[in-house]
Amino acid sequence: MNPATLLAPPATSPDAHIHSRGDRYVVIDDLLPEADFEATADAFAGTRLKPVLSTIDPVYDGFAHRGGEEKQRLAHTDDDAPRWQRAVKEQIGVHLDLMAAPGGAERLSLTLSAWGYPAGSRLSWHNDAGAGRIGAYVYFTHRTWSTDWGGGLALIDEESRADAADGTALVHSATHPTLILPRPNRLVIFRAHTMHAVQRVDPTAGDRLRRTWTGFITEDSP
C-alpha cells in the first residue's frame, strides 16, 4: 500500500457495523457512507456485463451477467481506486482471522468481478475450494431490494464435507443454513470450503438485477 493511501482516512463508513457473524462468515452493514454508496451504484450501472452460464450447474442455474474482472494485491491500493474497493480491502484486513490467513495481508490477493443476477437465475451450492482460495466476499450494490425477490445468499457455517456438492447429502447436514438477505450496501466475507448458494431470483423482481461486486481472497505463491 502506498504512503498516500496509508495517510488517507478510512473508506469504510463510521456507521458500518457487524450485523451478524458465525465461525466462518461475517456480515457488515452500511459499509460505505451514503454518498459513496450512491457513486458506487452509479458506477456499477455503467459497468459492461455479459451473459455467462453457471460453472456449477449450467442447465438449471440459468444465465447471470458478469464483467469487470480484475485481480489486485490486498495490501496495495491505488490512489484513485473506487471507495468500495478500499472499504472491502479494509474489512478483509480486519477479518483475516476468519479465514485463518497464514501469512497476513502481504501474501494475499483478491479478485474483483461485477455480477448481475436477473429474474429466474440462481447459483447452486458450492464451496469455492481450490486455486489457492482462502475466502470470498460479496458486496451488494443495488439501491433497493425486497425479500420477495429472492436472491439471498445461503450459507452452511461449517467446513464442507467430501459429499457436500451432493444436494441430497446437504439435506442431512448437522448445521442449518444461514440466509443472508441482499441488503444494499452490505458486505459478506466468508472462508473457503464453506458451502453456499445464491437463491433463485424471483420473477417479481422484474427487470431488476441482484447486483454485487464479488471475488475470491487468494494466497499468493511464495
Side-chain angles (χ1 to χ4, degrees):
M1 194 174 289
N2 59 44
T5 302
L6 287 171
L7 294 172
T12 300
S13 170
D15 296 324
H17 59 280
I18 293 176
H19 170 274
S20 54
R21 67 178 301 156
D23 292 335
R24 306 176 68 85
Y25 74 93
V26 62
V27 179
I28 300 158
D29 281 349
D30 303 324
L31 177 71
L32 291 178
E34 183 175 352
D36 291 336
F37 177 69
E38 288 294 321
T40 299
D42 284 341
F44 190 104
T47 301
R48 185 176 180 180
L49 305 178
K50 61 180 181 180
V52 292
L53 274 173
S54 166
T55 58
I56 309 300
D57 189 339
V59 175
Y60 294 108
D61 285 352
F63 281 95
H65 300 270
R66 185 182 187 184
E69 301 173 44
E70 189 179 350
K71 186 174 183 179
Q72 298 181 6
R73 298 293 300 275
L74 179 59
H76 176 82
T77 303
D78 293 333
D79 292 341
D80 59 350
R83 300 282 289 186
W84 75 264
Q85 288 185 17
R86 290 181 52 199
V88 166
K89 287 183 175 182
E90 288 167 4
Q91 291 305 310
I92 290 173
V94 169
H95 297 286
L96 285 180
D97 60 321
L98 184 74
M99 293 164 286
E106 293 296 330
R107 293 186 54 189
L108 299 179
S109 295
L110 75 162
T111 60
L112 309 97
S113 295
W115 284 92
Y117 280 82
S121 64
R122 70 171 189 185
L123 187 61
S124 297
W125 289 96
H126 60 290
N127 65 4
D128 288 343
R133 298 168 186 154
I134 65 168
Y137 69 91
V138 178
Y139 177 50
F140 296 103
T141 63
H142 37 248
R143 283 191 170 89
T144 59
W145 200 260
S146 168
T147 55
D148 292 333
W149 300 342
L153 175 64
L155 178 149
I156 298 180
D157 192 19
E158 64 182 18
E159 185 170 359
S160 57
R161 307 183 310 272
D163 63 353
D166 182 343
T168 303
L170 278 180
V171 171
H172 302 287
S173 173
T175 302
H176 291 294
T178 296
L179 179 61
I180 301 170
L181 299 176
R183 173 176 167 166
N185 204 13
R186 167 173 282 177
L187 172 66
V188 185
I189 303 170
F190 55 95
R191 194 185 308 184
H193 292 271
T194 302
M195 292 302 296
H196 59 286
V198 175
Q199 291 188 319
R200 197 177 300 278
V201 179
D202 194 83
T204 55
D207 60 357
R208 302 174 184 86
L209 290 177
R210 175 193 186 271
R211 298 181 176 186
T212 66
W213 281 102
T214 301
F216 302 116
I217 302 141
T218 62
E219 184 181 9
D220 298 329
S221 301

